[in-house]
Amino acid sequence: MRIIALSTLKYFWENAPEYLDAKKQTLAWYRFVKKADWSVPADVKADFGNASILKDSRVVFNIAGNKYRLVVKINYPYGVVYIRFIGTHAQYDAIDVQSI
């Protein structure tokens, strides 16, 4: 899969030292997804059983022992994963996951 944009993840760790604990696990997620070949949401669930599949090709991943949420939008036919949001549960609760 092609992932757009790693810079969103880097910005999250680098601009808030309290989130630096997410770096190792988000990079592990990035490396895994980069090698994945997902053509349908079931492929995502097969690799990440705790991922939440939402409408409009959006998926929510739990990061760092469920401390953070990572929201992506996946274009399955083109093999592209768009990083839409990463943040704490409180930050996630404050967004409209379908519109970001």
Side-chain angles (χ1 to χ4, degrees):
M1 303 297 289
R2 206 168 106 225
I3 304 169
I4 302 172
L6 178 60
S7 61
T8 303
L9 299 178
K10 287 181 178 179
Y11 183 85
F12 182 69
W13 332 304
E14 291 173 356
N15 292 307
E18 65 270 26
Y19 303 141
L20 197 54
D21 61 334
K23 181 177 181 177
K24 183 178 178 182
Q25 291 175 346
T26 51
L27 283 174
W29 173 89
Y30 179 86
R31 287 185 198 107
F32 184 92
V33 174
K34 192 172 179 181
K35 294 178 184 176
D37 184 20
W38 297 331
S39 56
V40 294
D43 295 339
V44 177
K45 283 298 269 187
D47 286 339
F48 293 93
N50 66 349
S52 299
I53 307 296
L54 306 177
K55 296 184 298 183
D56 196 28
S57 300
R58 294 178 192 269
V59 181
V60 179
F61 296 94
N62 296 313
I63 302 292
N66 205 17
K67 186 173 180 181
Y68 303 105
R69 295 274 175 105
L70 172 62
V71 178
V72 303
K73 183 171 182 170
I74 302 174
N75 183 321
Y76 294 99
Y78 290 97
V80 180
V81 176
Y82 300 93
I83 297 172
R84 307 301 296 161
F85 169 86
I86 184 168
T88 65
H89 280 268
Q91 292 165 337
Y92 172 83
D93 290 341
I95 64 166
D96 177 6
V97 72
Q98 292 301 137
S99 67
I100 60 161

